[in-house]
Amino acid sequence: MHRSLVEKFKEAFTSVLPITIIVMLLHFTISPMPLGTVVLFITGTILLVIGMGIFTLGADMAIMPIGEFIGASLVKSRKLLIFVIGSFILGVAVTVAEPDLQVLAKQVPSVPDVVLLGSVAIGVGIFLVIALLRILFKMRLSYILLIMYSIVFLVAAFTSPDYLAVAFDSGGVTTGPITVPFILALGMGVSTVRSGKSAEEDSFGLCGISSIGPIIAVLIMGIFFDSSGGGYGFETASTINNLSELLSLYKNGIFVFFKEVTIAFSPIILIFAAYNIFYLKLPKRQIAKIAVGIVYTILGLTIFLTGVNIGFMPAGNYLGNSLASLSYNWILIPLSVLIGFFVVTAEPAVHVLNKQVEDITSGAISKKMMMAGLSLGVGIALALAMIRMMFGISIWFFLLPGYIIALTLTFFVPQIFTAIAFDSGGVASGTMAATFLLPFAIGVASALGGNPMTDAFGIIAMVAMMPLITVQIMGVIYMVKMKRNKDIIDYKEDDTELNDEDDFDIIEY
């Protein structure tokens, strides 16, 4: 276990290092930050590395096994009603436990947090059931995505423009560090029991379908709630003046986030305990390992969220405001590509997905290959988001053509790439997007004199959309390479057969 933890720390450090270097280079060159903000950022980075390392180890030990065990037991019950109800409850429970959603909930004016959280959780629960039923009844993912996103844009046409960006953002943040490993493992458990030729492909796509539920839920709320009735409530700690303030800030933060994570995670623990008593009946040794993993998960996520919220938020907000205030603020576009390319590597859920993709595809789709596709997609997404804010372009002109391209590609690439792509969109727009990129966009919008509801919000939606395209294009390249290799092998085999025949003729002659 000690060796595994060291490896996780190394992975976390390697992931966070690039974005840390970029922020510090900006600080020492064109956008110097207050000393207190720099201290918060550095200490937050250290906590982020420690938290990510502990969390990913805990996810491997507890979250993924729990999801696989429960998913398998739901299928083995062979009762559709139990399967549907159980899947719905699990979807609601993991969504309520998702910390990224809490960050977004406080930003939506005129809608109480409880109403938003409840609606989004129900949306995820319903669409998780749909995603799991797809596995059971072997439905084609492309058709489901086409139908569901047609409904999304139909509802969006009747919703206030202020809620359009927030709705797509909610779909992105819902699939975060708790939801992703659990839902992926749940799908793996269901598809393994169901087996069949497409079991490998079916284990993916659940996050992609589940993230549609929150979009529809918030869009429907936008029809009934008036955004003008409330103000923008996003707040971040700005800076510190001494060591006492620093220690006090992190002490309070750790306590608050530990309480939130523990309360949010308790439904999952209770559900697993109930399943184990009545259905699973796992050996004590295995239960002990899962219990230790749960402790690691809660502890790691607490440290991670404390570092990201207290350390990264003020730095992101300050940099966005400072860079947008420059006379040459066009530099935001290339810088956003660079930031986006590296910030996705700091997402804990991304590493969980990439590892599972490599394991299930037996290395055919490597972690490096996945990370390249995601990094490219997020980099392009941030550049487009900056262009949108700088020129005041409606998000409709990006989301509609983007999803048309993504949905069209689903009919031309291998299904496993489609499933992984739509999972990747939600995974890439996780904690770092909510706590660094969103404050960064808010700083830019404020400096440009824009409206955060329509300008800053939507950056997570863009981050969630672009990997759908880039990962599927990666699938097209993969398919072309496989075809080329097959043609080369066929040619060599034909050439060998021809030579053998010639040799036979010569001998016979």
Side-chain angles (χ1 to χ4, degrees), residues 90-113:
L90 286 171
V92 172
V94 295
T95 304
V96 172
E98 187 54 64
D100 296 353
L101 188 58
Q102 305 285 340
V103 176
L104 190 72
K106 294 178 174 60
Q107 316 318 312
V108 183
S110 302
V111 181
D113 290 359

Side-chain angles (χ1 to χ4, degrees), residues 419-436:
I420 292 171
F422 278 82
D423 281 352
S424 301
V427 171
S429 54
T431 304
M432 289 298 294
T435 55
F436 182 79

Side-chain angles (χ1 to χ4, degrees), residues 186-199:
L186 187 67
M188 188 187 298
V190 172
S191 61
T192 300
V193 173
R194 186 198 64 88
S195 71
K197 186 179 178 181
S198 61

Side-chain angles (χ1 to χ4, degrees), residues 277-294:
I277 292 170
F278 295 105
Y279 298 103
L280 301 176
K281 303 183 188 301
L282 298 174
K284 291 182 179 180
R285 186 175 179 180
Q286 200 160 20
I287 294 173
K289 183 180 178 182
I290 290 175
V292 172
I294 289 172

